Amino acid sequence: MQNYSRANTGIDLNLIPVFIEIVRCGSMAKASVRLDMSRPAVSLALKRFNQLFDEPLFIRKGLYLEPTQKALQLTNSLENLMADIHQNIGAVNTAEV
């Protein structure tokens, strides 16, 4: 069985919803409100997520962050992944009833 732990992969899956919300909002400030997180926590999460990639995922446009084409493609894939996770957990929970 594959070990998907953060220690083994270097990937913190908790960063995915933060990244998705920043893309949706176009701003760390707005994302922090929607995620009920502090702005510094959102900023740190984005910094950590960006370290996984060889190129920037956003272009700063004043107060806003414009996602790159790579970020938009990644967001689509990650949204599908998160939907699959939630559907699978929901299916397991309803099967137990």
Side-chain angles (χ1 to χ4, degrees):
M1 176 161 29
Q2 179 105 14
N3 181 350
Y4 293 108
S5 71
R6 179 174 56 180
N8 193 48
T9 64
I11 300 170
D12 182 350
L13 299 178
N14 293 309
L15 303 176
I16 294 172
V18 177
F19 168 75
I20 291 171
E21 203 58 43
I22 293 169
V23 171
R24 287 178 181 165
C25 294
S27 141
M28 284 190 277
K30 290 179 184 177
S32 71
V33 170
R34 290 184 61 173
L35 293 165
D36 195 27
M37 294 174 64
S38 70
R39 288 183 191 184
V42 170
S43 178
L44 180 60
L46 180 59
K47 180 180 178 182
R48 289 179 54 216
F49 190 76
N50 275 327
Q51 290 173 342
L52 299 171
F53 302 93
D54 294 333
E55 60 188 85
L57 297 174
F58 294 93
I59 299 166
R60 182 156 294 279
K61 301 277 182 161
L63 297 174
Y64 297 96
L65 295 172
E66 183 178 310
T68 63
Q69 190 60 38
K70 183 173 198 104
L72 294 173
Q73 292 169 344
L74 183 60
T75 300
N76 187 43
S77 296
L78 292 174
E79 285 175 327
N80 291 333
L81 176 67
M82 296 301 287
D84 286 347
I85 290 169
H86 286 280
Q87 287 172 359
N88 281 301
I89 290 171
V92 168
N93 285 336
T94 56
E96 291 177 357
V97 176

